[in-house]
Amino acid sequence: MDNVELRTEADAILAELVGAPAGSARLREDQWQAVAALVEDRRRALVVQRTGWGKSAVYFVATALLRRRGAGPTVIISPLLALMRNQVDSAARAGIRARTINSANPEEWDTIYEEVEQGATDVLLVSPERLNSVDFRDQVLPRLAATTGLLVVDEAHCISDWGHDFRPDYRRLRAMLAELPAGVPVLATTATANARVTADVAEQLGTGAGQALVLRGPLERESLRLGVVRLPDAAHRLGWLAEHLDELQGSGIIYTLTVAAAEEATAFLRGRGFPVASYTGKTENADRLQAETDLQRNQVKALVATSALGMGFDKPDLGFVVHLGSPSSPIAYYQQVGRAGRGVEHADVLLLPGKEDEAIWRYFADTAFPPEAQVRQTLSALSAAGRPLSVPALEAAVDLRRSRLESMLKVLDVDGAVKRVKGGWTATGAKWEYDAERYAWVAEQRAAEQQAMRDYASTEGCRMEFLRRQLDDEEAAPCGRCDNCAGPWAASSVSAEVVTGATKELDRPGVEVEPRRMWPTGLSALGISLKGRIPAKEQCSTGRALGRLSDIGWGNRLRPLLAENAQDGPVPDDVLRAAVSVLADWARSPGGWAPGVQDPAARPVGVVAVPSRTRPVLVDSLARGIAAVGHLPFLGTLTYSGPEGGHTARRSNSAQRVKALSGAFTVSGELAGALTGAPGPVLLVDDYTDSGWTLAVAARLLRQAGGEQVLPLVLAAAG
């Protein structure tokens, strides 16, 4: 078959894919170039093209052509479930049978593997996390590498640790690339790769197969009109949404930086009568599916989402994207705004930056590769164990949070220093060097990205050109549409009435604080004889906090008060009033209590403070203030006898936190006497809870000393 006939066949498949009449659809020349490279030349190619360019059309058309020529199934490594769902539906239109392997359908995996082996599946979409599963890596991956007809790596910038969204699981692809038989084509796609990331991914694609073909196009999005609206505070920004959301075309996405902000904005907009839904990492899978469906059908005005709704969500007629707060990277921002305007001539993109953005960036910035001493400590623990160690068991030896420890192990796995096996992780004994220069450079790049995002919000030049230059787009030029090119197009006015309503929503304090129920694994290795479930008679109850540090409401008030460099002092009057308000709401909840409750059995016998090494005046004044307002006795403060700062350290894992707290608190004889003399509930007051272990350990002591129930109240909760 010559090139012309192949092109005709490819265009016919495209028509089926998009649901168009035969002969009415045609691949663009740049798309055809990619298809021909895969099908005719069996090459490895990296396609860097703007969002909406049609990358999925390339690999589905190539899949159909290759399958007709006897090739094995296509394997697509895809990061998000939304993308998988969209693509399975798209493939079906062209008669392509697609299946997915991800965390949401484990009960189907065995059946799907059988279908692949029997040739009944044309496309297998796999989440990158599967690549690091022991069973998948050792049993399934080798079979896929031997039989696949086309390997597709979607969102390929995740491979590179220079990229804005590096994911260690993607690094496992190096092994699969090296094991592919000669002549198996590979396609990597992304819309967000600058020159350095492009070069890095292309080099990795060439593993064992020569130089990869790079097809890079201009990143202009002619449908998008970019703008920035600066408003004084979070209440004005929520108010702006309520007042101007209906002016935005069609349906769209409102991005927030945190789960808490998404929930706050959703509640406020719903209260104003807007059909919106929240979509975050905490949203149940069934609710995510329903939210996506509702947005696709325009049954909601917007999804209020975190980055959990990002790569791969495909709604061609999405009319707008609004950011309630600035992402920390202009490259990530470009990717998110690229959800809009794929199939419509005009779509509006607005950034509403907030004063709290940088504080939130810092809060979530603890993702850098750990210091060498902690890495060496991990390798030593694995070597000395003589058996596989699980992550919980490693936590007893290494003072790293679980998510950071897991990420580090994945990187070490790819580097060959450790290996994931049945039962956990083992050290390979291979020589490993700590690449301090590379890790420092990555950290510097993150800081540069944050500065670029500040510059984007304040630039007087073309905003689209700015974003394209951040991606090293050599064809970047003024767009003529953004607020700087054509003049401001989005009103910045917000009525006083709407701002007042938003202020009331944000000023409403109170979130639940879930207690710890189980002791962390591995405490015996630290000389602590605690394990399993915490006995009910030693647990604390579900508590309350004024807010989360990631809130755009109370979080903004609490972050400066609890910052590491904040000056200690008495609790501010407004904060104390809010704490009393939280207690009043608590009293009205089932089983709750608060000052003023008349039922003596429901009232605490008194207030106890957690000793603070950093903010003793703040905590003491908060505890005494609540006691005074509630006409409750202040029973005293737990005695702290541990190391300096031992119980205030944050961002440790659970085992290390319990180790630091073990034996650190004691109950004085006077406090113990007060507890036994008037048994009943005790209100335990602290300034902040992150892991929950300070409250758990303190509550255990108080209950052992005679407290019948411990009710924790803190100013702020993490997350």
Side-chain angles (χ1 to χ4, degrees):
M1 178 179 289
D2 62 25
N3 188 276
V4 174
E5 291 177 333
L6 184 64
R7 175 67 186 268
T8 300
E9 185 181 356
D11 289 339
I13 294 169
L14 177 65
E16 295 175 355
L17 192 66
V18 300
S24 64
R26 185 173 174 82
L27 289 165
R28 296 192 308 274
E29 287 305 315
D30 48 5
Q31 291 176 313
W32 166 242
Q33 185 181 3
V35 170
L38 298 171
V39 179
E40 279 194 317
D41 304 330
R42 305 297 175 101
R43 292 199 63 175
R44 295 186 176 186
L46 169 61
V47 170
V48 183
Q49 295 282 2
R50 67 185 183 278
T51 303
W53 173 84
K55 294 181 283 290
S56 61
V58 169
Y59 49 73
F60 280 136
V61 169
T63 293
L65 292 171
L66 289 166
R67 290 289 278 168
R68 291 177 183 182
R69 286 152 181 77
T74 291
V75 176
I76 302 176
I77 310 299
S78 178
L80 289 184
L81 299 184
L83 174 65
M84 293 185 179
R85 288 190 284 267
N86 289 158
Q87 293 191 338
V88 168
D89 293 341
S90 297
R93 288 197 294 267
I96 299 171
R97 298 157 297 183
R99 299 283 271 157
T100 70
I101 294 289
N102 57 67
S103 58
N105 67 342
E107 70 284 353
E108 300 178 20
W109 292 356
D110 289 341
T111 300
I112 292 171
Y113 293 148
E114 290 178 9
E115 291 177 359
V116 171
E117 290 184 354
Q118 294 169 3
T121 293
D122 300 310
V123 174
L124 179 65
L125 294 107
V126 179
S127 62
E129 291 73 23
R130 290 299 94 215
L131 300 176
N132 208 44
S133 161
V134 175
D135 287 340
F136 189 88
R137 182 195 67 200
D138 294 343
Q139 300 178 28
V140 180
L141 198 60
R143 297 203 304 270
L144 288 180
T147 61
T148 187
L150 169 65
L151 175 64
V152 177
V153 183
D154 205 33
E155 307 300 345
H157 59 273
C158 296
I159 295 174
S160 174
D161 55 7
W162 311 113
H164 76 277
D165 195 24
F166 166 65
R167 303 188 182 195
D169 289 310
Y170 264 76
R171 296 289 291 272
R172 175 62 58 191
L173 284 166
R174 285 192 178 196
M176 187 171 181
L177 288 167
E179 294 169 5
L180 285 176
V184 174
V186 177
L187 173 67
T189 69
T190 180
T192 49
N194 58 22
R196 182 172 190 122
V197 173
T198 298
D200 186 24
V201 174
E203 181 182 358
Q204 294 188 49
L205 282 182
T207 302
Q211 188 173 2
L213 172 68
V214 177
L215 302 172
R216 185 183 178 99
L219 301 179
E220 166 71 300
R221 291 294 307 279
E222 295 180 356
S223 63
L224 299 185
R225 179 170 61 161
L226 306 180
V228 174
V229 178
R230 289 190 172 276
L231 297 163
D233 53 37
H236 279 79
R237 284 182 287 133
L238 277 187
W240 187 95
L241 283 173
E243 207 149 79
H244 298 285
L245 189 57
D246 272 337
E247 299 169 9
L248 297 174
Q249 171 185 309
S251 57
I253 301 171
I254 301 168
Y255 277 110
T256 66
L257 300 186
T258 68
V259 172
E263 293 173 349
E264 287 173 317
T266 300
F268 175 68
L269 291 173
R270 281 180 173 171
R272 286 275 166 173
F274 288 98
V276 297
S278 179
Y279 190 111
T280 74
K282 292 186 177 180
T283 305
E284 293 292 336
N285 188 56
D287 293 331
R288 285 195 187 195
L289 279 168
Q290 187 60 55
E292 291 171 21
T293 300
D294 288 346
L295 184 60
Q296 294 281 8
R297 296 175 178 174
N298 295 317
Q299 293 175 337
V300 292
K301 179 64 178 178
L303 295 187
V304 186
T306 62
S307 58
L309 180 71
M311 295 181 291
F313 182 78
D314 184 18
K315 176 177 167 61
D317 63 341
L318 199 75
F320 63 88
V321 169
V322 176
H323 277 76
L324 197 65
S326 297
S328 60
S329 161
I331 301 174
Y333 181 66
Y334 173 85
Q335 184 179 65
Q336 289 178 348
V337 303
R339 307 269 72 79
R342 294 183 176 193
V344 292
E345 291 186 6
H346 304 290
D348 289 332
V349 170
L350 283 170
L351 172 65
L352 279 58
K355 295 178 180 178
E356 72 275 10
D357 294 348
E358 296 196 27
I360 294 174
W361 296 349
R362 288 192 295 272
Y363 182 78
F364 290 110
D366 192 16
T367 56
F369 198 69
E372 183 172 5
Q374 289 181 312
V375 183
R376 297 293 179 193
Q377 188 178 16
T378 304
L379 293 173
S380 296
L382 290 172
S383 297
R387 59 181 176 83
L389 291 181
S390 66
V391 171
L394 270 174
E395 287 180 326
V398 184
D399 192 5
L400 282 173
R401 282 211 168 189
R402 181 165 298 184
S403 59
R404 204 166 171 214
L405 178 58
E406 289 175 338
S407 179
M408 179 188 72
L409 288 167
K410 290 174 184 177
V411 173
L412 292 175
D413 188 5
V414 173
D415 289 345
V418 303
K419 185 177 182 180
R420 190 172 185 176
V421 297
K422 286 284 189 181
W425 296 85
T426 61
T428 64
K431 185 178 180 181
W432 180 81
E433 296 294 334
Y434 187 87
D435 194 345
E437 183 177 353
R438 185 181 72 174
Y439 304 139
W441 198 97
V442 171
E444 290 173 8
Q445 179 157 301
R446 300 291 180 265
E449 288 174 345
Q450 293 179 3
Q451 183 57 50
M453 203 62 215
R454 298 184 195 100
D455 295 342
Y456 171 81
S458 62
T459 185
E460 296 180 358
C462 173
R463 297 196 194 277
M464 179 59 77
E465 181 182 17
F466 183 97
L467 293 177
R468 292 174 67 186
R469 290 197 184 281
Q470 288 295 312
L471 284 147
D472 296 324
D473 185 351
E474 296 179 356
E475 299 183 32
C479 70
R481 301 178 304 278
C482 72
D483 56 353
N484 285 339
C485 287
W489 51 270
S492 59
S493 60
V494 188
S495 69
E497 180 270 329
V498 175
V499 171
T500 299
T503 300
K504 288 181 179 178
E505 179 71 29
L506 294 174
D507 282 352
R508 184 178 295 118
V511 295
E512 287 193 349
V513 176
E514 287 296 321
R516 286 288 186 170
R517 309 286 190 193
M518 301 285 294
W519 292 113
T521 302
L523 290 179
S524 60
L526 299 173
I528 301 171
S529 57
L530 296 172
K531 64 179 181 179
R533 187 171 183 83
I534 301 174
K537 63 183 180 180
E538 295 182 357
Q539 290 182 16
C540 66
S541 299
T542 299
R544 295 294 189 277
L546 267 68
R548 305 179 186 92
L549 286 184
S550 57
D551 291 344
I552 58 174
W554 270 98
N556 286 348
R557 180 69 180 92
L558 295 170
R559 277 190 297 271
L561 191 64
L562 302 180
E564 291 185 8
N565 59 353
Q567 185 174 354
D568 188 26
V571 62
D573 290 342
D574 64 322
V575 176
L576 179 58
R577 286 194 300 271
V580 173
S581 173
V582 169
L583 296 177
D585 289 340
W586 199 353
R588 289 187 286 269
S589 64
W593 75 272
V597 173
Q598 298 304 310
D599 179 5
R603 286 175 56 80
V605 298
V607 180
V608 176
V610 174
S612 174
R613 309 296 292 178
T614 55
R615 286 179 284 274
V617 176
L618 176 67
V619 176
D620 183 74
S621 64
L622 174 63
R624 292 179 184 275
I626 289 172
V629 172
H631 304 291
L632 300 169
F634 176 68
L635 302 180
T637 302
L638 288 167
T639 303
Y640 180 71
S641 55
E644 185 71 24
H647 82 283
T648 61
R650 298 178 184 176
R651 299 197 180 267
S652 295
N653 63 55
S654 290
Q656 296 295 329
R657 291 292 292 126
V658 173
K659 175 186 176 183
L661 292 163
S662 180
F665 296 135
T666 55
V667 178
S668 68
E670 182 180 356
L671 178 55
L675 292 170
T676 55
V682 175
L683 185 66
L684 180 64
V685 175
D686 202 357
D687 56 351
Y688 173 79
T689 183
D690 184 358
S691 67
W693 286 115
T694 296
L695 297 176
V697 170
R700 178 172 181 259
L701 287 174
L702 291 173
R703 298 202 65 179
Q704 288 176 335
E708 291 184 359
Q709 185 181 12
V710 176
L711 307 164
L713 175 71
V714 298
L715 294 181

Short mmCIF file of all heavy atoms in Angstrom, two decimals, residues 478-524:
data_model
loop_
_atom_site.label_atom_id
_atom_site.label_comp_id
_atom_site.label_asym_id
_atom_site.label_seq_id
_atom_site.Cartn_x
_atom_site.Cartn_y
_atom_site.Cartn_z
N PRO A 478 2.24 38.60 20.25
CA PRO A 478 1.03 39.15 20.88
C PRO A 478 -0.24 38.57 20.28
O PRO A 478 -0.36 38.42 19.06
CB PRO A 478 1.15 40.65 20.62
CG PRO A 478 2.63 40.88 20.51
CD PRO A 478 3.17 39.66 19.82
N CYS A 479 -1.21 38.26 21.14
CA CYS A 479 -2.43 37.60 20.69
C CYS A 479 -3.49 38.57 20.18
O CYS A 479 -4.33 38.20 19.36
CB CYS A 479 -3.03 36.75 21.82
SG CYS A 479 -3.74 37.72 23.18
N GLY A 480 -3.48 39.81 20.67
CA GLY A 480 -4.47 40.79 20.25
C GLY A 480 -5.81 40.63 20.93
O GLY A 480 -6.75 41.37 20.63
N ARG A 481 -5.95 39.68 21.87
CA ARG A 481 -7.24 39.41 22.49
C ARG A 481 -7.26 39.63 23.99
O ARG A 481 -8.32 39.91 24.56
CB ARG A 481 -7.68 37.96 22.22
CG ARG A 481 -7.79 37.57 20.77
CD ARG A 481 -8.18 36.10 20.64
NE ARG A 481 -7.25 35.21 21.34
CZ ARG A 481 -6.09 34.79 20.84
NH1 ARG A 481 -5.70 35.20 19.63
NH2 ARG A 481 -5.31 33.99 21.52
N CYS A 482 -6.15 39.44 24.67
CA CYS A 482 -6.14 39.46 26.13
C CYS A 482 -6.41 40.88 26.65
O CYS A 482 -6.45 41.85 25.89
CB CYS A 482 -4.81 38.92 26.66
SG CYS A 482 -3.40 40.02 26.41
N ASP A 483 -6.55 41.00 27.96
CA ASP A 483 -6.88 42.30 28.53
C ASP A 483 -5.78 43.34 28.34
O ASP A 483 -6.04 44.54 28.33
CB ASP A 483 -7.24 42.16 30.01
CG ASP A 483 -6.14 41.51 30.83
OD1 ASP A 483 -5.14 41.03 30.26
OD2 ASP A 483 -6.29 41.45 32.08
N ASN A 484 -4.54 42.88 28.16
CA ASN A 484 -3.46 43.83 27.92
C ASN A 484 -3.36 44.22 26.45
O ASN A 484 -2.98 45.35 26.13
CB ASN A 484 -2.12 43.25 28.39
CG ASN A 484 -1.99 43.26 29.90
OD1 ASN A 484 -2.68 44.02 30.58
ND2 ASN A 484 -1.11 42.42 30.43
N CYS A 485 -3.71 43.30 25.56
CA CYS A 485 -3.67 43.61 24.13
C CYS A 485 -4.88 44.45 23.70
O CYS A 485 -4.76 45.41 22.94
CB CYS A 485 -3.63 42.32 23.30
SG CYS A 485 -2.05 41.45 23.33
N ALA A 486 -6.06 44.06 24.17
CA ALA A 486 -7.29 44.68 23.68
C ALA A 486 -8.00 45.53 24.72
O ALA A 486 -9.06 46.08 24.44
CB ALA A 486 -8.24 43.58 23.19
N GLY A 487 -7.44 45.63 25.90
CA GLY A 487 -8.08 46.39 26.97
C GLY A 487 -8.87 45.49 27.89
O GLY A 487 -9.33 44.41 27.47
N PRO A 488 -9.03 45.89 29.16
CA PRO A 488 -9.78 45.06 30.12
C PRO A 488 -11.19 44.76 29.62
O PRO A 488 -11.87 45.65 29.12
CB PRO A 488 -9.81 45.93 31.38
CG PRO A 488 -8.66 46.87 31.23
CD PRO A 488 -8.54 47.14 29.76
N TRP A 489 -11.59 43.53 29.73
CA TRP A 489 -12.91 43.13 29.27
C TRP A 489 -13.78 42.55 30.38
O TRP A 489 -14.98 42.36 30.21
CB TRP A 489 -12.79 42.10 28.14
CG TRP A 489 -11.88 40.95 28.46
CD1 TRP A 489 -10.55 40.86 28.22
CD2 TRP A 489 -12.24 39.73 29.10
NE1 TRP A 489 -10.05 39.67 28.66
CE2 TRP A 489 -11.07 38.94 29.20
CE3 TRP A 489 -13.44 39.21 29.58
CZ2 TRP A 489 -11.06 37.69 29.77
CZ3 TRP A 489 -13.44 37.96 30.15
CH2 TRP A 489 -12.25 37.20 30.24
N ALA A 490 -13.17 42.24 31.53
CA ALA A 490 -13.93 41.69 32.65
C ALA A 490 -14.11 42.75 33.72
O ALA A 490 -13.13 43.38 34.16
CB ALA A 490 -13.21 40.48 33.24
N ALA A 491 -15.34 43.00 34.14
CA ALA A 491 -15.61 43.98 35.18
C ALA A 491 -14.97 43.54 36.50
O ALA A 491 -14.88 42.35 36.79
CB ALA A 491 -17.12 44.14 35.36
N SER A 492 -14.54 44.51 37.28
CA SER A 492 -13.95 44.21 38.58
C SER A 492 -14.86 44.66 39.72
O SER A 492 -14.47 44.60 40.89
CB SER A 492 -12.57 44.88 38.71
OG SER A 492 -12.69 46.28 38.56
N SER A 493 -16.06 45.09 39.38
CA SER A 493 -16.98 45.60 40.39
C SER A 493 -17.67 44.46 41.13
O SER A 493 -17.99 43.42 40.55
CB SER A 493 -18.04 46.48 39.73
OG SER A 493 -18.76 45.72 38.76
N VAL A 494 -17.88 44.66 42.42
CA VAL A 494 -18.63 43.72 43.25
C VAL A 494 -19.48 44.54 44.21
O VAL A 494 -18.97 45.43 44.88
CB VAL A 494 -17.69 42.80 44.05
CG1 VAL A 494 -18.50 41.70 44.74
CG2 VAL A 494 -16.62 42.18 43.18
N SER A 495 -20.75 44.23 44.28
CA SER A 495 -21.64 45.02 45.13
C SER A 495 -21.37 44.73 46.60
O SER A 495 -20.93 43.64 46.98
CB SER A 495 -23.10 44.70 44.81
OG SER A 495 -23.42 43.38 45.22
N ALA A 496 -21.67 45.72 47.44
CA ALA A 496 -21.44 45.58 48.88
C ALA A 496 -22.29 44.45 49.46
O ALA A 496 -21.85 43.72 50.35
CB ALA A 496 -21.77 46.91 49.57
N GLU A 497 -23.50 44.28 48.93
CA GLU A 497 -24.39 43.25 49.45
C GLU A 497 -23.81 41.85 49.23
O GLU A 497 -23.84 40.99 50.12
CB GLU A 497 -25.76 43.37 48.76
CG GLU A 497 -26.79 42.33 49.22
CD GLU A 497 -26.76 41.05 48.38
OE1 GLU A 497 -26.42 41.15 47.17
OE2 GLU A 497 -27.04 39.97 48.91
N VAL A 498 -23.26 41.63 48.04
CA VAL A 498 -22.70 40.32 47.74
C VAL A 498 -21.43 40.09 48.55
O VAL A 498 -21.18 38.97 49.05
CB VAL A 498 -22.42 40.18 46.23
CG1 VAL A 498 -21.73 38.87 45.93
CG2 VAL A 498 -23.72 40.26 45.44
N VAL A 499 -20.59 41.12 48.70
CA VAL A 499 -19.38 40.99 49.50
C VAL A 499 -19.74 40.65 50.95
O VAL A 499 -19.09 39.81 51.59
CB VAL A 499 -18.52 42.27 49.44
CG1 VAL A 499 -17.38 42.21 50.45
CG2 VAL A 499 -17.97 42.47 48.04
N THR A 500 -20.77 41.29 51.46
CA THR A 500 -21.22 41.00 52.83
C THR A 500 -21.62 39.54 52.97
O THR A 500 -21.27 38.86 53.95
CB THR A 500 -22.39 41.91 53.21
OG1 THR A 500 -21.97 43.27 53.16
CG2 THR A 500 -22.90 41.60 54.62
N GLY A 501 -22.36 39.04 51.98
CA GLY A 501 -22.76 37.64 52.02
C GLY A 501 -21.57 36.70 51.96
O GLY A 501 -21.52 35.69 52.69
N ALA A 502 -20.59 37.02 51.11
CA ALA A 502 -19.38 36.19 51.02
C ALA A 502 -18.58 36.25 52.31
O ALA A 502 -18.03 35.24 52.76
CB ALA A 502 -18.53 36.65 49.84
N THR A 503 -18.52 37.43 52.91
CA THR A 503 -17.79 37.58 54.17
C THR A 503 -18.41 36.72 55.26
O THR A 503 -17.70 36.05 56.02
CB THR A 503 -17.78 39.06 54.61
OG1 THR A 503 -17.14 39.85 53.61
CG2 THR A 503 -17.04 39.23 55.93
N LYS A 504 -19.74 36.70 55.33
CA LYS A 504 -20.41 35.87 56.33
C LYS A 504 -20.11 34.39 56.10
O LYS A 504 -19.91 33.62 57.05
CB LYS A 504 -21.92 36.11 56.27
CG LYS A 504 -22.35 37.47 56.83
CD LYS A 504 -23.86 37.62 56.77
CE LYS A 504 -24.30 38.96 57.35
NZ LYS A 504 -25.77 39.15 57.26
N GLU A 505 -20.08 33.97 54.83
CA GLU A 505 -19.78 32.58 54.52
C GLU A 505 -18.37 32.21 54.95
O GLU A 505 -18.13 31.17 55.58
CB GLU A 505 -19.94 32.32 53.02
CG GLU A 505 -19.63 30.91 52.58
CD GLU A 505 -20.66 29.90 53.03
OE1 GLU A 505 -21.84 30.28 53.20
OE2 GLU A 505 -20.28 28.73 53.23
N LEU A 506 -17.41 33.09 54.65
CA LEU A 506 -16.01 32.81 54.97
C LEU A 506 -15.73 32.95 56.46
O LEU A 506 -14.80 32.32 56.98
CB LEU A 506 -15.10 33.74 54.18
CG LEU A 506 -15.09 33.54 52.67
CD1 LEU A 506 -14.26 34.61 51.99
CD2 LEU A 506 -14.57 32.16 52.30
N ASP A 507 -16.52 33.81 57.14
CA ASP A 507 -16.29 34.03 58.57
C ASP A 507 -16.96 32.97 59.44
O ASP A 507 -16.81 33.01 60.66
CB ASP A 507 -16.82 35.41 58.98
CG ASP A 507 -15.87 36.53 58.58
OD1 ASP A 507 -14.75 36.21 58.13
OD2 ASP A 507 -16.25 37.71 58.70
N ARG A 508 -17.69 32.05 58.82
CA ARG A 508 -18.35 31.02 59.62
C ARG A 508 -17.31 29.99 60.03
O ARG A 508 -16.82 29.21 59.21
CB ARG A 508 -19.46 30.36 58.81
CG ARG A 508 -20.26 29.34 59.61
CD ARG A 508 -21.40 28.74 58.79
NE ARG A 508 -22.39 29.75 58.44
CZ ARG A 508 -22.68 30.11 57.19
NH1 ARG A 508 -22.03 29.56 56.17
NH2 ARG A 508 -23.59 31.02 56.95
N PRO A 509 -16.93 29.96 61.31
CA PRO A 509 -15.85 29.06 61.73
C PRO A 509 -16.36 27.67 62.05
O PRO A 509 -17.57 27.46 62.24
CB PRO A 509 -15.32 29.75 62.99
CG PRO A 509 -16.54 30.39 63.58
CD PRO A 509 -17.41 30.81 62.42
N GLY A 510 -15.42 26.74 62.09
CA GLY A 510 -15.75 25.41 62.57
C GLY A 510 -15.60 24.30 61.56
O GLY A 510 -16.31 24.28 60.56
N VAL A 511 -14.65 23.40 61.80
CA VAL A 511 -14.53 22.16 61.03
C VAL A 511 -14.25 21.03 62.02
O VAL A 511 -13.69 21.24 63.09
CB VAL A 511 -13.38 22.23 59.99
CG1 VAL A 511 -13.68 23.27 58.94
CG2 VAL A 511 -12.04 22.52 60.65
N GLU A 512 -14.67 19.84 61.66
CA GLU A 512 -14.45 18.70 62.53
C GLU A 512 -12.99 18.24 62.48
O GLU A 512 -12.33 18.35 61.44
CB GLU A 512 -15.35 17.53 62.14
CG GLU A 512 -16.81 17.74 62.51
CD GLU A 512 -17.61 16.46 62.40
OE1 GLU A 512 -17.08 15.47 61.84
OE2 GLU A 512 -18.76 16.44 62.88
N VAL A 513 -12.50 17.74 63.61
CA VAL A 513 -11.16 17.17 63.70
C VAL A 513 -11.31 15.70 64.09
O VAL A 513 -11.73 15.39 65.21
CB VAL A 513 -10.30 17.91 64.75
CG1 VAL A 513 -8.94 17.23 64.90
CG2 VAL A 513 -10.13 19.38 64.36
N GLU A 514 -11.03 14.82 63.15
CA GLU A 514 -11.19 13.39 63.40
C GLU A 514 -10.09 12.88 64.32
O GLU A 514 -8.92 13.21 64.13
CB GLU A 514 -11.17 12.61 62.09
CG GLU A 514 -12.44 12.77 61.26
CD GLU A 514 -13.66 12.21 61.95
OE1 GLU A 514 -13.53 11.14 62.60
OE2 GLU A 514 -14.72 12.84 61.87
N PRO A 515 -10.44 12.05 65.31
CA PRO A 515 -9.42 11.52 66.22
C PRO A 515 -8.66 10.35 65.62
O PRO A 515 -9.11 9.71 64.66
CB PRO A 515 -10.25 11.06 67.41
CG PRO A 515 -11.56 10.65 66.80
CD PRO A 515 -11.80 11.61 65.66
N ARG A 516 -7.51 10.08 66.17
CA ARG A 516 -6.75 8.89 65.81
C ARG A 516 -7.38 7.67 66.48
O ARG A 516 -7.73 7.70 67.65
CB ARG A 516 -5.29 9.03 66.25
CG ARG A 516 -4.49 10.00 65.39
CD ARG A 516 -4.23 9.38 64.04
NE ARG A 516 -3.33 10.21 63.23
CZ ARG A 516 -2.79 9.81 62.09
NH1 ARG A 516 -3.07 8.60 61.62
NH2 ARG A 516 -1.99 10.58 61.40
N ARG A 517 -7.50 6.58 65.71
CA ARG A 517 -8.10 5.35 66.24
C ARG A 517 -7.09 4.20 66.35
O ARG A 517 -7.32 3.26 67.09
CB ARG A 517 -9.24 4.89 65.32
CG ARG A 517 -10.27 5.95 64.99
CD ARG A 517 -11.18 6.26 66.13
NE ARG A 517 -12.30 7.10 65.72
CZ ARG A 517 -13.11 7.72 66.56
NH1 ARG A 517 -12.93 7.59 67.86
NH2 ARG A 517 -14.11 8.48 66.12
N MET A 518 -6.01 4.26 65.54
CA MET A 518 -5.04 3.16 65.50
C MET A 518 -3.64 3.72 65.75
O MET A 518 -3.29 4.80 65.27
CB MET A 518 -5.06 2.48 64.13
CG MET A 518 -6.40 1.90 63.71
SD MET A 518 -6.81 0.37 64.58
CE MET A 518 -5.53 -0.74 63.95
N TRP A 519 -2.84 2.95 66.50
CA TRP A 519 -1.43 3.33 66.67
C TRP A 519 -0.67 3.04 65.39
O TRP A 519 -1.02 2.10 64.66
CB TRP A 519 -0.80 2.53 67.82
CG TRP A 519 -1.34 2.88 69.17
CD1 TRP A 519 -2.07 2.08 69.98
CD2 TRP A 519 -1.19 4.12 69.86
NE1 TRP A 519 -2.41 2.74 71.14
CE2 TRP A 519 -1.87 4.00 71.10
CE3 TRP A 519 -0.54 5.33 69.57
CZ2 TRP A 519 -1.92 5.03 72.03
CZ3 TRP A 519 -0.60 6.36 70.50
CH2 TRP A 519 -1.28 6.22 71.71
N PRO A 520 0.34 3.81 65.07
CA PRO A 520 1.11 3.54 63.84
C PRO A 520 1.87 2.22 63.93
O PRO A 520 2.21 1.75 65.01
CB PRO A 520 2.07 4.74 63.73
CG PRO A 520 2.10 5.37 65.08
CD PRO A 520 0.81 5.03 65.76
N THR A 521 2.13 1.66 62.76
CA THR A 521 2.90 0.41 62.67
C THR A 521 4.36 0.66 63.02
O THR A 521 4.91 1.72 62.73
CB THR A 521 2.80 -0.16 61.25
OG1 THR A 521 1.44 -0.37 60.93
CG2 THR A 521 3.55 -1.47 61.13
N GLY A 522 5.00 -0.33 63.62
CA GLY A 522 6.45 -0.28 63.81
C GLY A 522 6.92 0.39 65.07
O GLY A 522 8.13 0.62 65.24
N LEU A 523 6.02 0.70 66.01
CA LEU A 523 6.46 1.38 67.23
C LEU A 523 7.36 0.50 68.09
O LEU A 523 8.21 1.00 68.83
CB LEU A 523 5.24 1.83 68.05
CG LEU A 523 4.41 2.98 67.46
CD1 LEU A 523 3.23 3.30 68.37
CD2 LEU A 523 5.28 4.22 67.27
N SER A 524 7.18 -0.82 67.98
CA SER A 524 8.02 -1.72 68.79
C SER A 524 9.49 -1.56 68.44
O SER A 524 10.36 -1.70 69.30
CB SER A 524 7.58 -3.17 68.60
OG SER A 524 7.69 -3.54 67.23
#
